[in-house]
Amino acid sequence: MDCLFCKIINGDIPAEIVYQDDDLLGFKDVNPQAPTHILFIPKIHIATVNDLTAETIALVGKLYLAAKEVAADKGFAEQGYRLVMNCNEGAGQTVFHIHLHMLAGRTFHWPPG
Ligand code: 5GP
Ligand code: ZN
């Protein structure tokens, strides 16, 4: 399978890993949109949020737990941070392996662009 994030999981493509456990990987986004921009991904390939099932949905909760732990470790819990998952091209998804963006270190506006 030609999936960029599966290649990062396999070690075929390097990444700055900031979080790892049995199920997940967290690494710095190569094109950061905030002073801190980390992507949290499941180690199994799931293309989009549309592909989540009752069997895989617990991984999404784990993504959030990992993100809030890293956010707290980095001192962003109080000031806040943004967690985003884009689903499909219309929402800006460009890598088709689900990922939770954790953006922090600046002010975020709403609605997003
Ligand atoms: P999406 O647009 O799918 O929601 O987010 C994909 C993210 O992956 C983008 O923010 C993009 O900068 C990041 N990205 C794309 N290629 C690479 C890569 O090779 N390494 C890392 N660390 N991030 C990547
Ligand atoms: Zn993948």
Side-chain angles (χ1 to χ4, degrees):
M1 191 191 305
D2 197 27
C3 171
L4 184 65
F5 288 174
C6 283
K7 287 178 183 163
I8 287 177
I9 292 162
N10 295 336
D12 295 337
I13 291 177
E16 280 191 72
I17 292 168
V18 298
Y19 179 89
Q20 175 140 223
D21 65 27
D22 287 347
D23 301 311
L24 314 180
L25 202 60
F27 53 90
K28 292 185 183 176
D29 196 295
V30 79
N31 182 25
Q33 301 301 311
T36 295
H37 187 172
I38 298 167
L39 303 173
F40 294 87
I41 66 173
K43 288 183 174 176
I44 62 166
H45 182 82
I46 301 168
T48 79
V49 167
N50 290 335
D51 300 300
L52 287 165
T53 65
E55 283 72 41
T56 56
I57 192 64
L59 288 167
V60 175
K62 291 180 180 182
L63 292 174
Y64 274 81
L65 269 180
K68 73 112 180 177
E69 278 172 24
V70 171
D73 285 350
K74 292 184 176 294
F76 295 119
E78 196 65 30
Q79 74 184 77
Y81 50 93
R82 182 162 288 175
L83 301 176
V84 185
M85 290 183 101
N86 297 321
C87 181
N88 267 342
E89 286 96 340
Q93 186 175 4
T94 58
V95 178
F96 288 83
H97 179 129
I98 61 166
H99 46 283
L100 182 64
H101 293 261
M102 194 272 270
L103 299 131
R106 66 171 171 86
T107 301
F108 297 95
H109 301 287
W110 196 264

